[in-house]
Amino acid sequence: MDTLCSLSGLDPLWDWNQTWYTHNPELSNCFQNTVLVWAPCIYLWVLSPFYCLHLYCHGRGRLPLSSLCSAKLVRQTNVQLVNSMLGSLRIRTGITSQYIMGNPWLWYSFKMESLPGLSPDIVRYLAFFSYFALQLAQLFLSCFADQAPSGKAVLKNACPVQDASFLSKILFWWFSGLLFKGYRSPLQAEDLWSLREEDTSEKIISDLEEEWTAERTKLQHIALGSRLPEQAQFLRKIQKEQSSGFCLLRTLARSFGPYFLTGTLCLMVHDAFMFSVPQVLSLLLGFMKDEDAPLWKGYFYASLMFLLSCLQSIFNHQYTYTCFTVGMRVKTAVMGLVYRKSLVVNSAARRTCTVGEIVNLVSADTQKLMDFVVYFNAVWLAPIEITLCLFFLWQHLGPSALAGIAIVIFIFPLNGFIARKRSKLQEIQMKYMDGRVKLMNEILNGIKILKFYAWEKAFLEQVLGYREKELKTLKKSQILYSVSIASFNSSSFLIAFAMFGVYVLIDDKNVLDAQKIFVSMALINILKTPLSQLPFAMSTTMQALVSLKRLGKFLCQDELKPDNVTRESFKSGERSLVDKHYCAIDDRISVRVPCGSLVAVVGHVGSGKSSLLSAMLGETEKRSGAVSVKGSSAYVPQQAWIQNASLQDNILFGREKKESWYQRVLEACALLPDLDNLPAGDTTEIGEKGLNLSGGQKQRVSLARAVYRKADVYLLDDPLSAVDAHVGQHIFNKVIGPRGILRDKTRVLVTHGMSFLPQADLILVLVDGEISERGSYQELLNRNGAFADFIHTFASSERKDCFSEASQRGNITVVCVFRHLYYGDTNSITFEPLPDSDENHIQEDLGKLTKVDKARIGRVKLEMYIEYFHTIGLPLIVSIVFLYAFQQAASLSYNYWLSLWADQPVINGTQLNTDLKLGVYGALGFAQGIAIFGTTVAISLGCIIASHHLHLELLNNVLHSPMSFFESTPSGNLLNRFAKEIDAIDNMIPDGLKMMLGYFFKLMEVCIIVLMATPFAAVIILPMAFLYGFIQSFYVATSCQLRRLESVSRSPIYTHLNETVQGASVIRAFNEQSRFIMGVNHKVDHNQTAYFPRFVATRWLGVNLEFLGNGIVLAASILSVMSKGTLSPGMVGLAVSHSLQVTGFLSWIVRSWTDVENNIVSVERVKEYADTPKEAAWSIEGSSLPPSWPQKGTIEFHDYGLQYRKGLELALKGISVHIKEREKIGIVGRTGAGKSSLALGIFRILEAAKGQIYIDGINIAEIGLHDLRSRITIIPQDPVLFSGSLRMNLDPFDAYTDEEVWNALELAHLKNFVSELPDKLNHECSEGGENLSLGQRQLVCLARALLRKTKILVLDEATAALDLETDTLIQSTIRSQFEDCAVLTIAHRLNTIMDYTKVIVMDKGHIVEMDSPSNLIAKRGQFYYMCREAGLL
């Protein structure tokens, strides 16, 4: 190149004397005419084809001619005109070079001083500068993007990043619009952008599912192709690999790896710039030492350091943005996979993973995977960075750098050991957390039973037991983490101490000057980043591996096999359902059901009736034989599954509404009378699990859903057990029977009602999982077998029973419950008047039930911080602040000590008193390390104390809430508090506080040092501080609201997941999986629309703050250069090396403060329930209640009135009745009579509006709720069991002996069943008691009552799920065992109360009749007509 330049008559390409060793540097003419011209041209030529290809592949239509686009076109035209003018002038003047035109974007490097010498022509001179101004205009206009093509379909509120300019993308300015909006007024959900297509659930999961299926299929094919011994080994290997989650990890890596690698590339470029800064600092300090160095070099080094720092910030935040985007997509993908898996997992696997555990998978474990994505690169890159740091340190200090390597080698194994221990502790902690969340889920599902039985304390102690173990494990983990943090934060000192000590001790001639010390310290500060990230990255990786194992284990659980049932579409001709040679129920079953027939399945409790239907649905594993179903199927489960949606939506179940058919279904299922009682008719919202419907109504809604479907095959699992007899007869006649609207459909009906059997085409009698008899009703009677004997024994009672249910239990409860729900909460002590505005609000939201989890607006109040820190305690807070101050004082002292050491004069090639200097330096450093450990431990312990108090307060507030609270609050909201929010309080707030306080005190140290070196820096630092404060408040307002919106949108995901898992069999039976998957996709996407701007906001903050912080670096450097003659090199090194850290400190302070404020929102959300209405006290201190109360069991109502809210009509009006000891009272009445309200009043589920209830002469309003509820007993309609031993479900307080428990089981006809179980009383009940049949669960509830044996017993349709024979035995047991007790029965079958002492007939809240059954019949009043209507007379 030099030869070419000389041939052209120009200078050499590069001349150091002309460019570097001079006071007026400039580039050679040859360099200007070659490199500056051809380098950009080559760049343009090489990339042009790729750019054209990009435009071709991603073309989106013609751009609209906006003002910006017009300005760009005008500018380009002007450039071409000036370019032509300059070309003409070049030809006229005979100048051969055209570097100005050939290199328009780099010509600014041309020296302005040479311009006048080019030509005296003033026109050329003006054209030259005009060209320069136009190029600047081009640069400015290029920073803005054109409008999107008008023909493109634009999403509503589309994310602006897609059409942002390059500069806007790298600086995240495209996010500013949302920040301005959030600063002006609190953000709402509708203000958020729509997700980009590549971030949506549908796109992510559809791609991932293909990968996941391919991965599992490939592994299965490999296993099947192996020989048997090898195959067995390989299958074990596959099982181990899948359970450990590596299969899932590979799938995720293939799907998201390429985009993640682009972020990794940005990180590597960032590292290159990061390591360049200390080299420039070394040159700057060398400049300060060189008295003859030209001043422009100092300014050049300062500017170069500023430029490198800015580039470092840009690439760092692009990397982080990429990682968070990948993390968000991984979260979406994993949540989608878990949800889809929950829809196909088989019953055996389902029992091993409860709803609480699945919720934890999509909350805690997905968060661990997101953290893993962000910090994974540190695992492999941190060792490389450490190696590079040590290499550069070797260059400065020689072999002494090996001492630093020794320290690193010591720190690595120590922290590796700590990471392994913390990983094990994390696994244990997650296990306890799973148990706690699972138990809380069961408590929320069975809260009504807990309140009836006064079991809240027992379950509270169980939850606190899990919590205590969880916090104990967390405390151990945090102490180990404190050791890790102390070792890593002290690592820079330990490495410097070791290297400097070895350096000065091995040779007296080794002198530590400013260049060696502060360049080494800058490298060591860089070294701190990988050293501090590494333990966190290792910890995060270990936690992610644990989460991957858990996720892998769940995702690889056995699924329902498609071949369990062969499904065929029907053809013209006979359609049938065939179930033959099926042995999943213990014995061989073979049956064929012709098209359009009605098959009745009967048998005792636990005989396998429900299992037979499950087999027909493909819900159980097929061991042999085949099951074939022709046509579509509909399923009505024994326990109705109701969604939290409107009544209409529950019936339509995703189908289009056809008004005539819809009305016909409502009429057939006897739902029309109920619609009149609902506040908003069929648009009324139904609570979770149908909380605001009675058992009969839930079953009728479930049946209506199936009928509306117009399926070919109907599987009906005892749908008539929960409804009244006359309603049951109506439904059978109108729906199921030979004249019902399903008469042409194939129906398999499990029933305990004998009256329906004569109309069945085929009857199957099941005994212990085997069909003992089959045939029509008459055929079975003629055989004179067990079935005939049973029919003859119970025929007379069943003849009455089938028509006896005049007490319309299903229709009456809803009136009470709906008034309770829709008109607010009832406070047990005081009532507030209902303002007019409330009445209007009720009318507007008449059909609304559940309270939406709303986000609060504005900044978190100061009171929330005060409450949080108050729980930590003042002594601990003072200790923390003192330790932090001491820690930074020690750090400031040893850094200043180093600057004094660096400035010490060198005498005869040595420095004096190096041993003393080294000793003082070491003492100060070790003191700092001890203080670091103390601060981290103190913060961890303080935050654990606060977390314990907050969880306890939340638990107490929830368990003390009235039933109305649980009926109107979705369980997902509460589970979110107990899972995600408590996890944030446990882990996120302590980490945020440690980071914020640590960086704040470090910033104070840096400011003091910079001001000590250059006091004039205060002129820059103070305005910067105010600017940072403004940015912080500007940013936090939006960030905090985004955090709230994200938390609020997360709860519906958990609620939907909970609902789906419990109703999975119904969803599968109706083949509605795709609709529910779309539903969860929408909820996840809605949640991600709040999460995406949250992490972008952090990137916006980081880039803008670091650019401002880099301005401080520039100011400190330039001020040092300007003060070259007055500042010592040691002081300059101290000031500049510390100013390099200011950028990170300021950014992290704002970020960590924001994290703390964002996570304090969790405290805010946990404390929300402190102000909700509460029940009366569980117990009253100093109560004189006798231990044996009630001894007689007398109940007196004195002018008792009950209402569901002040200002509403009374549900019970002036009830005055005396129930004597040992009396048996039946309570009957028509719809809306108020019979259930009596039971609610006795248990004080609702408090009295007027009057009193006395039990044995004591006013129940004056005693504690637990004192009341624990002394009386109810057998509820819905049998609820909790996961745990059978004994715990019977006696959670361990108040009874095993002998008493066995006696109760014997009386409840469960002794034989329990004694045959392997673990007997310790038999583990699954969640909700799903491993027991519904009838067996009802018998367990009876055993509870028999065990308590209180003087007052309330029966609420207690035998609805039992067969007639068992029902008769139970009624006999109740009569004999509770002979000396007062029994109140809300009648389900009128024949069961015909021998009672008295019958109370209620109507519209009044007692209209009360006498013995015979006397009431003789009076020919309402009871007489009810009996006559029921066919008893």
Side-chain angles (χ1 to χ4, degrees):
M1 186 62 74
D2 284 344
T3 306
L4 181 62
C5 289
S6 61
L7 290 174
S8 302
L10 300 172
D11 300 333
L13 178 68
W14 190 262
D15 186 353
W16 285 105
N17 292 322
Q18 185 181 359
T19 56
W20 191 251
Y21 302 111
T22 177
H23 288 275
N24 296 304
E26 62 178 349
L27 298 171
S28 67
N29 289 332
C30 183
F31 189 88
Q32 293 182 45
N33 286 289
T34 54
V35 176
L36 293 186
V37 173
W38 289 106
C41 290
I42 293 170
Y43 168 82
L44 183 64
W45 294 337
V46 169
L47 294 184
S48 290
F50 297 101
Y51 184 62
C52 292
L53 182 63
H54 171 78
L55 293 177
Y56 177 77
C57 295
H58 297 86
R60 298 185 298 173
R62 186 182 180 87
L63 289 175
L65 197 61
S66 62
S67 55
L68 177 63
C69 186
S70 302
K72 289 181 180 180
L73 290 173
V74 169
R75 190 221 51 84
Q76 289 173 358
T77 305
N78 290 337
V79 167
Q80 293 302 322
L81 287 174
V82 176
N83 199 19
S84 302
M85 186 186 299
L86 289 174
S88 175
L89 288 170
R90 180 182 64 80
I91 293 170
R92 282 185 178 184
T93 54
I95 295 176
T96 56
S97 70
Q98 49 180 338
Y99 60 89
I100 295 174
M101 292 171 286
N103 183 29
W105 51 88
L106 287 178
W107 72 271
Y108 182 61
S109 60
F110 180 76
K111 292 296 295 176
M112 292 296 111
E113 294 86 346
S114 63
L115 286 175
L118 287 174
S119 171
D121 191 346
I122 189 66
V123 177
R124 182 182 183 281
Y125 189 79
L126 290 174
F128 184 86
F129 277 102
S130 300
Y131 195 83
F132 174 65
L134 289 170
Q135 291 298 334
L136 286 179
Q138 181 184 18
L139 175 64
F140 177 76
L141 291 173
S142 298
C143 295
F144 302 94
D146 293 299
Q147 293 181 6
S150 55
K152 182 193 171 188
V154 180
L155 283 173
K156 182 184 177 183
N157 210 5
C159 183
V161 67
Q162 293 172 303
D163 296 313
S165 66
F166 173 73
L167 190 63
S168 179
K169 283 181 179 178
I170 64 173
L171 297 179
F172 298 97
W173 288 347
W174 54 269
F175 183 75
S176 303
L178 194 65
L179 277 172
F180 279 112
K181 186 182 287 186
Y183 185 69
R184 285 193 298 267
S185 62
L187 290 175
Q188 302 297 329
E190 55 270 16
D191 296 325
L192 303 179
W193 305 312
S194 302
L195 281 180
R196 297 172 295 179
E197 184 186 358
E198 58 268 28
D199 294 329
T200 58
S201 298
E202 185 178 358
K203 172 67 176 172
I204 291 170
I205 299 169
S206 60
D207 295 343
L208 187 74
E209 268 192 312
E210 294 177 9
E211 294 281 354
W212 178 244
T213 305
E215 181 73 24
R216 294 190 67 187
T217 304
K218 182 176 68 174
L219 289 170
Q220 290 169 358
H221 282 320
I222 295 171
L224 292 172
S226 308
R227 293 182 179 179
L228 190 60
E230 295 175 353
Q231 180 182 351
Q233 294 177 5
F234 194 73
L235 281 173
R236 283 197 295 270
K237 180 182 177 183
I238 290 174
Q239 187 178 5
K240 182 179 178 182
E241 182 181 39
Q242 288 182 335
S243 64
S244 64
F246 287 117
C247 180
L248 175 62
L249 182 61
R250 281 200 303 270
T251 305
L252 293 173
R254 276 200 294 269
S255 296
F256 307 113
Y259 184 62
F260 179 73
L261 288 176
T262 61
T264 304
L265 182 62
C266 289
L267 181 62
M268 295 170 71
V269 176
H270 157 267
D271 280 6
F273 290 128
M274 181 177 68
F275 281 107
S276 301
V277 173
Q279 308 307 317
V280 179
L281 175 62
S282 176
L283 295 173
L284 179 63
L285 293 176
F287 159 79
M288 295 297 293
K289 286 175 63 178
D290 187 358
E291 296 179 359
D292 299 328
L295 205 58
W296 70 264
K297 286 189 178 180
Y299 294 125
F300 171 74
Y301 294 142
S303 303
L304 182 59
M305 209 179 313
F306 170 75
L307 178 64
L308 291 173
S309 298
C310 290
L311 290 171
Q312 182 183 337
S313 298
I314 288 171
F315 280 97
N316 178 43
H317 289 289
Q318 286 299 316
Y319 160 70
T320 315
Y321 171 76
T322 304
C323 285
F324 274 103
T325 303
V326 172
M328 180 182 74
R329 293 173 183 173
V330 166
K331 178 182 177 181
T332 299
V334 171
M335 289 176 83
L337 287 177
V338 169
Y339 184 82
R340 284 154 179 74
K341 184 70 178 185
S342 68
L343 285 171
V344 296
V345 71
N346 67 17
S347 55
R350 168 70 185 83
R351 283 194 291 270
T352 65
C353 42
T354 64
V355 176
E357 289 170 345
I358 296 172
V359 168
N360 251 359
L361 289 177
V362 299
S363 59
D365 290 300
T366 52
Q367 185 62 46
K368 297 291 187 296
L369 289 187
M370 290 174 70
D371 295 340
F372 170 70
V373 170
V374 175
Y375 293 101
F376 166 70
N377 274 322
V379 174
W380 65 270
L381 196 57
I384 296 174
E385 291 173 346
I386 292 168
T387 304
L388 285 173
C389 282
L390 294 174
F391 169 74
F392 289 122
L393 285 168
W394 181 288
Q395 286 188 325
H396 280 83
L397 298 175
S400 303
L402 293 173
I405 296 173
I407 297 296
V408 172
I409 291 172
F410 165 74
I411 290 172
F412 262 90
L414 171 65
N415 284 276
F417 169 77
I418 290 173
R420 285 194 299 274
K421 291 290 289 182
R422 289 195 71 220
S423 175
K424 291 179 182 176
L425 290 171
Q426 169 78 16
E427 208 164 341
I428 296 169
Q429 184 192 347
M430 290 299 292
K431 176 184 170 186
Y432 291 136
M433 183 181 173
D434 279 348
R436 176 173 61 82
V437 174
K438 167 187 165 187
L439 183 57
M440 276 310 305
N441 184 59
E442 291 190 70
I443 287 173
L444 297 175
N445 289 339
I447 189 67
K448 196 169 187 178
I449 297 301
L450 259 63
K451 290 194 175 295
F452 273 135
Y453 285 111
W455 281 359
E456 293 103 324
K457 282 185 180 177
F459 281 83
L460 183 142
E461 292 299 327
Q462 286 189 48
V463 174
L464 292 181
Y466 277 114
R467 181 65 176 160
E468 186 180 347
K469 293 173 183 175
E470 185 184 353
L471 290 181
K472 189 176 179 182
T473 309
L474 179 63
K475 190 184 294 184
K476 291 179 182 176
S477 178
Q478 287 291 342
I479 291 172
L480 284 173
Y481 191 45
S482 298
V483 175
S484 182
I485 287 176
S487 66
F488 275 100
N489 283 355
S490 301
S491 59
S492 59
F493 156 74
L494 292 171
I495 293 169
F497 179 69
M499 289 193 300
F500 293 161
V502 172
Y503 184 74
V504 298
L505 292 176
I506 58 174
D507 190 350
D508 291 340
K509 300 295 182 181
N510 286 343
V511 174
L512 284 175
D513 57 12
Q515 200 167 6
K516 282 189 175 64
I517 288 177
F518 292 107
V519 172
S520 298
M521 289 304 294
L523 287 166
I524 291 170
N525 284 330
I526 290 176
L527 186 62
K528 280 177 67 175
T529 302
L531 285 175
S532 61
Q533 281 183 349
L534 196 58
F536 189 74
M538 291 167 66
S539 172
T540 303
T541 302
M542 294 300 165
Q543 291 176 16
L545 288 176
V546 171
S547 295
L548 278 168
K549 286 179 185 178
R550 287 156 52 84
L551 286 163
K553 179 182 177 183
F554 177 74
L555 292 174
C556 293
Q557 292 278 14
D558 293 334
E559 298 179 1
L560 292 168
K561 296 176 182 176
D563 62 351
N564 282 345
V565 175
T566 304
R567 299 188 181 276
E568 305 171 21
S569 58
F570 58 83
K571 302 174 183 177
S572 56
E574 187 184 39
R575 301 195 299 273
S576 64
L577 180 149
V578 181
D579 182 4
K580 59 182 182 181
H581 307 309
Y582 184 83
C583 65
I585 316 173
D586 297 335
D587 290 294
R588 194 169 294 268
I589 288 177
S590 180
V591 64
R592 180 184 181 88
V593 181
C595 170
S597 61
L598 172 61
V599 177
V601 181
V602 297
H604 294 293
V605 171
S607 60
K609 303 183 294 298
S610 297
S611 298
L612 179 63
L613 294 192
S614 295
M616 295 175 180
L617 288 168
E619 294 287 319
T620 51
E621 184 183 354
K622 183 181 69 176
R623 301 278 178 82
S624 63
V627 182
S628 176
V629 177
K630 289 188 178 180
S632 59
S633 60
Y635 173 52
V636 180
Q638 188 174 17
Q639 213 165 359
W641 175 72
I642 305 296
Q643 285 186 274
N644 179 205
S646 71
L647 186 74
Q648 182 182 110
D649 290 340
N650 269 284
I651 295 172
L652 299 182
F653 207 54
R655 290 298 174 97
E656 183 182 353
K657 184 179 180 181
K658 297 178 181 177
E659 188 61 36
S660 59
W661 176 242
Y662 177 70
Q663 291 299 327
R664 191 179 170 194
V665 169
L666 289 178
E667 191 277 328
C669 295
L671 282 169
L672 288 175
D674 298 303
L675 297 186
D676 298 331
N677 296 319
L678 301 182
D682 61 357
T683 59
T684 301
E685 184 182 2
I686 308 302
E688 287 186 68
K689 306 179 189 68
L691 275 172
N692 50 334
L693 296 180
S694 70
Q697 287 170 321
K698 285 190 280 188
Q699 200 63 267
R700 280 179 279 142
V701 171
S702 179
L703 180 64
R705 174 199 298 146
V707 175
Y708 189 82
R709 180 57 53 137
K710 290 186 177 179
D712 301 305
V713 177
Y714 283 84
L715 305 177
L716 312 173
D717 195 352
D718 203 10
L720 305 179
S721 63
V723 300
D724 302 329
H726 74 286
V727 177
Q729 191 65 44
H730 169 91
I731 290 174
F732 187 82
N733 293 336
K734 295 280 188 177
V735 179
I736 303 170
R739 295 180 217 170
I741 57 178
L742 299 182
R743 57 185 174 274
D744 297 327
K745 308 292 185 180
T746 304
R747 292 143 291 156
V748 179
L749 172 68
V750 170
T751 184
H752 293 134
M754 297 294 112
S755 64
F756 307 129
L757 299 182
Q759 301 180 67
D761 300 310
L762 176 65
I763 299 172
L764 304 178
V765 183
L766 284 180
V767 178
D768 296 329
E770 181 183 3
I771 297 178
S772 63
E773 295 180 82
R774 77 178 71 195
S776 66
Y777 183 79
Q778 200 58 46
E779 287 173 356
L780 292 176
L781 285 180
N782 294 338
R783 287 177 193 164
N784 294 322
F787 178 79
D789 294 341
F790 176 77
I791 291 294
H792 291 147
T793 303
F794 295 100
S796 58
S797 63
E798 175 59 18
R799 183 186 63 80
K800 297 176 183 178
D801 179 63
C802 68
F803 296 107
S804 67
E805 303 172 12
S807 63
Q808 302 169 20
R809 162 63 183 158
N811 296 330
I812 292 174
T813 304
V814 71
V815 178
C816 306
V817 177
F818 265 102
R819 286 178 183 164
H820 180 42
L821 292 170
Y822 293 108
Y823 299 100
D825 300 328
T826 302
N827 192 298
S828 57
I829 300 171
T830 60
F831 289 96
E832 297 178 0
L834 182 67
D836 294 339
S837 60
D838 282 2
E839 291 177 357
N840 295 335
H841 181 69
I842 289 167
Q843 294 302 320
E844 290 171 9
D845 295 334
L846 203 56
K848 217 43 200 156
L849 168 67
T850 53
K851 298 172 184 173
V852 178
D853 201 6
K854 293 182 179 178
R856 295 192 180 188
I857 58 175
R859 298 284 295 271
V860 178
K861 293 181 180 177
L862 181 63
E863 289 82 358
M864 201 57 61
Y865 292 97
I866 293 172
E867 286 189 35
Y868 179 76
F869 290 119
H870 179 71
T871 57
I872 295 176
L874 185 61
L876 201 54
I877 291 173
V878 172
S879 303
I880 290 168
V881 173
F882 171 77
L883 285 169
Y884 264 117
F886 178 78
Q887 168 188 328
Q888 292 313 131
S891 175
L892 174 62
S893 300
Y894 77 65
N895 278 303
Y896 184 67
W897 185 258
L898 273 181
S899 71
L900 295 178
W901 190 349
D903 289 335
Q904 187 185 21
V906 178
I907 302 171
N908 297 325
T910 62
Q911 288 176 317
L912 302 177
N913 301 321
T914 52
D915 294 343
L916 174 64
K917 293 181 176 64
L918 190 62
V920 172
Y921 178 63
L924 291 170
F926 282 110
Q928 184 204 18
I930 294 169
I932 291 171
F933 175 74
T935 51
T936 51
V937 169
I939 288 179
S940 298
L941 294 180
C943 291
I944 287 173
I945 291 169
S947 182
H948 169 72
H949 284 299
L950 288 167
H951 176 268
L952 181 61
E953 183 181 356
L954 172 66
L955 185 60
N956 277 317
N957 283 330
V958 169
L959 291 183
H960 278 84
S961 296
M963 273 307 301
S964 58
F965 170 81
F966 298 98
E967 290 162 345
S968 60
T969 305
S971 63
N973 293 4
L974 295 169
L975 272 183
N976 189 18
R977 303 299 194 275
F978 282 100
K980 184 73 176 179
E981 309 298 353
I982 289 294
D983 184 56
I985 294 170
D986 284 348
N987 298 299
M988 305 302 290
I989 292 179
D991 290 345
L993 284 174
K994 289 173 193 173
M995 190 179 295
M996 184 188 72
L997 291 172
Y999 283 116
F1000 175 76
F1001 281 97
K1002 285 176 183 176
L1003 177 64
M1004 297 298 293
E1005 175 193 349
V1006 171
C1007 288
I1008 292 170
I1009 288 173
V1010 172
L1011 290 173
M1012 285 170 58
T1014 54
F1016 190 70
V1019 177
I1020 297 167
I1021 289 176
L1022 289 176
M1024 286 284 188
F1026 285 111
L1027 189 57
Y1028 271 86
F1030 170 73
I1031 291 176
Q1032 193 250 12
S1033 61
F1034 184 77
Y1035 160 79
V1036 169
T1038 299
S1039 178
C1040 195
Q1041 193 64 14
L1042 286 171
R1043 169 72 169 82
R1044 287 182 176 130
L1045 290 171
E1046 195 262 333
S1047 295
V1048 164
S1049 61
R1050 196 189 312 122
S1051 297
I1053 299 173
Y1054 302 152
T1055 303
H1056 186 74
L1057 177 62
N1058 194 336
E1059 199 171 62
T1060 301
V1061 172
Q1062 292 174 344
S1065 59
V1066 176
I1067 295 168
R1068 287 191 291 265
F1070 285 85
N1071 198 26
E1072 286 288 330
Q1073 295 96 317
S1074 58
R1075 182 168 65 87
F1076 275 78
I1077 286 171
M1078 286 177 63
V1080 81
N1081 283 353
H1082 173 73
K1083 287 177 169 58
V1084 170
D1085 287 349
H1086 182 58
N1087 177 243
Q1088 299 294 39
T1089 57
Y1091 177 76
F1092 175 70
R1094 259 190 71 199
F1095 72 75
V1096 176
T1098 311
R1099 305 281 66 79
W1100 178 91
L1101 174 78
V1103 166
N1104 289 284
L1105 284 189
E1106 287 180 21
F1107 265 65
L1108 288 173
N1110 291 333
I1112 295 179
V1113 175
L1114 180 64
S1117 304
I1118 288 179
L1119 287 172
S1120 298
V1121 172
M1122 292 170 64
S1123 307
K1124 182 180 178 184
T1126 58
L1127 280 181
S1128 66
M1131 210 61 197
V1132 171
L1134 182 65
V1136 175
S1137 62
H1138 277 73
S1139 69
L1140 286 171
Q1141 303 175 60
V1142 170
T1143 301
F1145 290 166
L1146 288 169
S1147 180
W1148 277 107
I1149 285 171
V1150 178
R1151 205 176 304 172
S1152 56
W1153 171 254
T1154 306
D1155 287 343
V1156 169
E1157 182 150 352
N1158 283 343
N1159 288 298
I1160 283 289
V1161 172
S1162 294
V1163 178
E1164 183 182 58
R1165 287 166 62 77
V1166 162
K1167 292 184 77 68
E1168 273 179 15
Y1169 299 128
D1171 302 324
T1172 53
K1174 302 292 183 293
E1175 289 184 312
W1178 285 347
S1179 58
I1180 297 175
E1181 291 184 14
S1183 174
S1184 58
L1185 194 68
S1188 58
W1189 178 88
Q1191 293 177 328
K1192 298 178 181 178
T1194 62
I1195 305 173
E1196 298 174 65
F1197 289 82
H1198 288 181
D1199 193 27
Y1200 182 77
L1202 183 146
Q1203 63 184 166
Y1204 293 95
R1205 182 167 173 175
K1206 187 72 172 177
L1208 300 181
E1209 184 183 355
L1210 293 175
L1212 294 177
K1213 305 167 187 176
I1215 302 295
S1216 294
V1217 64
H1218 185 104
I1219 299 171
K1220 299 176 183 177
E1221 58 182 304
R1222 304 182 67 178
E1223 279 194 326
K1224 307 298 182 285
I1225 306 296
I1227 305 172
V1228 299
R1230 299 205 179 263
T1231 302
K1235 59 183 183 180
S1236 295
S1237 301
L1238 281 177
L1240 296 175
I1242 292 171
F1243 282 87
R1244 286 178 63 192
I1245 299 297
L1246 295 175
E1247 298 288 352
K1250 68 172 187 174
Q1252 302 86 30
I1253 299 177
Y1254 290 89
I1255 295 179
D1256 277 10
I1258 293 178
N1259 187 349
I1260 64 171
E1262 297 174 356
I1263 62 177
L1265 290 179
H1266 280 189
D1267 294 333
L1268 169 66
R1269 294 169 182 171
S1270 62
R1271 311 291 180 91
I1272 56 180
T1273 302
I1274 187 171
I1275 303 179
Q1277 181 184 12
D1278 295 325
V1280 176
L1281 299 187
F1282 302 93
S1283 61
S1285 69
L1286 186 61
R1287 197 190 195 294
M1288 186 277 292
N1289 272 283
L1290 292 167
D1291 178 26
F1293 291 99
D1294 286 330
Y1296 303 96
T1297 63
D1298 282 358
E1299 185 180 353
E1300 290 172 311
V1301 173
W1302 279 112
N1303 185 43
L1305 289 172
E1306 184 175 13
L1307 292 171
H1309 306 278
L1310 275 174
K1311 185 175 181 180
N1312 292 338
F1313 168 72
V1314 176
S1315 60
E1316 291 172 3
L1317 296 172
D1319 297 325
K1320 306 281 190 300
L1321 290 177
N1322 293 322
H1323 173 70
E1324 194 72 17
C1325 297
S1326 62
E1327 187 177 17
E1330 289 183 358
N1331 53 349
L1332 298 178
S1333 73
L1334 189 64
Q1336 288 168 333
R1337 279 179 266 166
Q1338 191 72 70
L1339 293 177
V1340 171
C1341 291
L1342 174 64
R1344 286 174 182 163
L1346 292 164
L1347 196 59
R1348 288 162 70 106
K1349 196 72 180 295
T1350 58
K1351 287 293 182 179
I1352 296 174
L1353 173 68
V1354 179
L1355 299 175
D1356 187 3
E1357 301 181 16
T1359 57
L1362 303 178
D1363 60 89
L1364 187 58
E1365 183 180 2
T1366 309
D1367 184 16
T1368 304
L1369 291 171
I1370 296 308
Q1371 294 292 346
S1372 173
T1373 301
I1374 290 172
R1375 285 174 173 80
S1376 61
Q1377 294 301 312
F1378 292 95
E1379 184 181 3
D1380 58 343
C1381 304
V1383 178
L1384 280 72
T1385 300
I1386 297 173
H1388 178 58
R1389 299 181 174 115
L1390 281 183
N1391 67 311
T1392 61
I1393 62 167
M1394 294 305 287
D1395 60 344
Y1396 273 28
T1397 313
K1398 291 179 183 177
V1399 172
I1400 294 175
V1401 182
M1402 300 194 68
D1403 186 31
K1404 297 180 181 178
H1406 295 281
I1407 295 179
V1408 293
E1409 294 179 353
M1410 178 176 174
D1411 208 333
S1412 66
S1414 57
N1415 289 344
L1416 289 176
I1417 291 171
K1419 291 177 182 177
R1420 290 179 173 264
Q1422 282 196 22
F1423 186 70
Y1424 168 78
Y1425 288 106
M1426 291 170 70
C1427 293
R1428 182 177 167 184
E1429 190 179 283
L1432 291 172
L1433 300 178

